[in-house]
Amino acid sequence: MNTTITYEFPLNERIRVFIRLEQLFQQFSHFLTGETVADKRAALSVLLDIMTIFRRNDLKSEILKELDRHANALNKIANNQSVDTQKLEELLTKLNQTSKKLYAANGKIGTHVMESDLFQSIAQRSSIPGGTCSFDLPEFHYWLEQDEAIRLKDLEHWSSPFADIRIAIDLILNFIRNCSSPTQEIAEAGFFQFLLDTSQPHQLLKVSLDKSIHCFAEISGGKHRCTIRFMVPSSDNKRPTQSPDDIPFSLTCCLF
């Protein structure tokens, strides 16, 4: 059983978007396996959020840059005797295969999904609170009442353009999260501040503390300085307050 809670704080916009997409992909997978009408509605809502992020960002280019950078970094350590060469080759193969699939994908990711009249109607009405009721979209109501196999096939088809993107993001975030070792720190009176080495392109902070400690980590900062405050939730619906106690935690400055 996991006895710690980990809070993550991205240090650049690229990683921030990747983590948001990771969460949305996980939610989509969860609702995809549910068989109720509510599950399918939720899955479509999440898929629309994913598409919104893709419309606002040139993610294909950003992801390819990260994959290439990671492959170059792994190639540089290939001759290190302490490296598991078989594991390294497997990782490089997976990176290269994923890159090739993304390079081969034509146009902007996910645009063909809007070729479906049904999906387009759902997307247009979803901007209205409660706008996809049966009287608004009878075709959608009909689709929701179909057999699970039909609904699942359509959802898998609509989400298929993002499959390789999801694999790429999982690879990138996994490398970043596991590339550095944590240090054990103490936040005196719930406060901890530190400087980052500006010569190193840190990408992510991870703060972990024991679940038995009754507070949460509030992280702020940028490329130069970061601050962590451990806040105690209010029991009377007021604002959380900074803990007066010294809080032990582990800090990982992730850099790959």
Side-chain angles (χ1 to χ4, degrees):
M1 183 182 294
N2 187 11
T3 60
T4 62
I5 301 177
T6 298
Y7 300 86
E8 294 185 332
F9 185 76
L11 292 169
N12 61 60
E13 184 61 26
R14 181 182 294 178
I15 302 305
R16 186 174 290 111
V17 172
F18 288 177
I19 291 176
R20 284 177 176 152
L21 277 171
E22 177 190 49
Q23 176 178 284
L24 289 170
F25 284 135
Q26 289 170 353
Q27 290 175 347
F28 180 76
S29 293
H30 171 78
F31 291 123
L32 185 67
T33 58
E35 297 186 4
T36 68
V37 167
D39 286 319
K40 294 303 180 270
R41 280 185 171 276
L44 276 166
S45 178
V46 173
L47 187 55
L48 287 168
D49 285 345
I50 291 171
M51 291 187 65
T52 298
I53 291 178
F54 273 82
R55 281 198 300 269
R56 294 175 180 173
N57 301 271
D58 184 16
L59 287 176
K60 180 180 173 181
S61 172
E62 293 293 306
I63 290 170
L64 284 170
K65 287 177 185 176
E66 276 294 307
L67 290 175
D68 290 343
R69 190 178 68 79
H70 285 214
N72 290 334
L74 290 176
N75 279 314
K76 287 179 181 177
I77 63 171
N79 296 324
N80 191 320
Q81 292 183 347
S82 62
V83 172
D84 183 337
T85 54
Q86 183 178 349
K87 181 71 173 177
L88 183 63
E89 285 298 322
E90 290 175 0
L91 290 172
L92 283 169
T93 299
K94 199 166 187 179
L95 280 170
N96 291 329
Q97 287 176 344
T98 305
S99 291
K100 286 180 180 178
K101 288 180 180 179
L102 290 180
Y103 274 117
N106 295 321
K108 205 163 186 179
I109 302 294
T111 52
H112 92 276
V113 179
M114 297 305 288
E115 294 173 2
S116 163
D117 287 339
L118 172 59
F119 192 89
Q120 199 173 116
S121 298
I122 296 168
Q124 290 170 349
R125 296 292 307 178
S126 291
S127 61
I128 303 170
T132 58
C133 289
S134 60
F135 56 83
D136 291 306
L137 291 175
E139 184 184 5
F140 184 32
H141 181 61
Y142 172 80
W143 180 85
L144 286 168
E145 294 297 329
Q146 297 305 296
D147 290 340
E148 172 63 6
I150 294 173
R151 299 182 302 179
L152 194 60
K153 181 182 177 182
D154 285 337
L155 281 168
E156 288 176 342
H157 172 66
W158 291 333
S159 63
S160 60
F162 307 106
D164 291 326
I165 291 285
R166 180 175 185 174
I167 292 170
I169 287 175
D170 286 345
L171 277 170
I172 291 166
L173 291 178
N174 187 54
F175 280 134
I176 291 171
R177 285 175 174 138
N178 297 296
C179 62
S180 304
S181 300
T183 59
Q184 302 304 311
E185 309 289 353
I186 299 288
E188 296 182 5
F191 180 83
F192 187 84
Q193 190 173 72
F194 62 102
L195 298 176
L196 286 168
D197 183 352
T198 55
S199 66
Q200 301 292 332
H202 291 95
Q203 296 155 300
L204 181 72
L205 298 179
K206 293 193 331 184
V207 173
S208 299
L209 67 159
D210 196 274
K211 286 183 177 179
S212 63
I213 299 174
H214 185 58
C215 59
F216 61 90
E218 190 175 82
I219 310 168
S220 61
K223 296 180 180 178
H224 306 292
R225 176 184 289 124
C226 292
T227 299
I228 304 168
R229 288 183 172 84
F230 290 93
M231 309 296 288
V232 180
S234 172
S235 58
D236 55 4
N237 295 322
K238 293 183 179 178
R239 291 176 62 86
T241 56
Q242 187 172 310
S243 174
D245 302 324
D246 292 348
I247 306 295
F249 69 99
S250 69
L251 172 66
T252 311
C253 299
C254 301
L255 167 69
F256 187 86

